[in-house]
Amino acid sequence: MQPVLFGLLITLLSVQLIVIGVLASFAVTLFLGSPWVPTPPGRARRMLEFAEFRPGETLLDLVSGDGAILLCAVEDFGAGRATGYEINPVLVAMARWRAWLRKTQGRVVTERKNIFTTRLPDVQVVSTFLILSTMKRLRHKFATELKPDTRIISRGFAIPGVTPAQKREGPEEWMYLYRAGDMVE
């Protein structure tokens, strides 16, 4: 086999393996919680406004994807720290890269963690954009691991069996605001 042809074959196989790896990482995410749907900056801002996020507060974004909500919290709202838990290594790398480009690393932190097996830290606000079955699974975790006054902003899906402190249901935007203390079962 000629060296040029061999090099081309190796390159094509490498690209295929990378593509398969990326697709597999997204498939794992789908089965473990929720598929990744990017959050546009305007929507991230509206979520944090709805949660009445204040300068200096800390944020935890569950299944944080590319870090859009984390960056918004630090850059637009003056968050003291914004942490994201994301299981997909490709999205973790993307979020870290975005934080580095915008010089927010240290205040924006993305960790590769499973939201069901990792203890939730002490934060003032938790943000989510998770499907209904995932929200149902998280109810007990919110009730037992968060302080009662922790605010939980959920985009898209309510937590079954819990009455939100506030809600916005409309043709383009569905948001629910909870307090962890209201989740007691």
Side-chain angles (χ1 to χ4, degrees):
M1 186 178 282
Q2 295 180 349
V4 172
L5 186 58
F6 182 73
L8 182 61
L9 182 62
I10 294 297
T11 301
L12 288 173
L13 286 173
S14 298
V15 168
Q16 284 180 331
L17 287 174
I18 291 170
V19 168
I20 289 169
V22 168
L23 291 175
S25 75
F26 283 96
V28 166
T29 303
L30 178 62
F31 291 111
L32 289 177
S34 290
W36 177 53
V37 178
T39 301
R43 187 154 287 154
R45 175 174 265 294
R46 287 189 299 278
M47 284 178 70
L48 294 172
E49 286 170 351
F50 191 69
E52 298 176 1
F53 196 88
R54 295 178 292 276
E57 288 190 314
T58 54
L59 172 80
L60 173 65
D61 188 18
L62 297 179
V63 188
S64 57
D66 64 0
I69 296 171
L70 305 173
L71 291 167
C72 181
V74 166
E75 294 176 337
D76 298 346
F77 288 82
R81 183 176 173 101
T83 302
Y85 288 174
E86 174 60 58
I87 200 163
N88 184 326
V90 174
L91 292 173
V92 169
M94 185 186 304
R96 289 176 179 170
W97 180 72
R98 290 181 75 197
W100 179 81
L101 282 177
R102 291 162 84 162
K103 299 179 180 13
T104 58
Q105 68 274 40
R107 287 180 48 212
V108 170
V109 177
T110 304
E111 300 177 23
R112 186 165 183 261
K113 293 193 174 188
N114 182 323
I115 63 173
F116 299 112
T117 60
T118 302
R119 183 149 182 83
L120 300 178
D122 182 16
V123 296
Q124 282 81 44
V125 177
V126 174
S127 62
T128 69
F129 180 33
L130 303 169
I131 60 177
L132 188 62
S133 60
T134 304
M135 295 302 290
K136 185 175 184 179
R137 288 179 64 190
L138 287 173
R139 178 182 176 179
H140 178 74
K141 191 170 189 64
F142 290 153
T144 58
E145 295 181 19
L146 296 173
K147 289 185 178 176
D149 61 340
T150 302
R151 301 185 308 280
I152 301 157
I153 175 69
S154 175
R155 174 179 154 215
F157 298 94
I159 299 172
V162 181
T163 302
Q166 291 181 304
K167 63 182 176 179
R168 180 180 299 160
E169 297 177 325
E172 293 184 26
E173 206 157 60
W174 296 66
M175 291 190 290
Y176 304 89
L177 181 64
Y178 301 92
R179 299 238 181 242
D182 296 336
M183 308 246 173
V184 178
E185 299 172 50

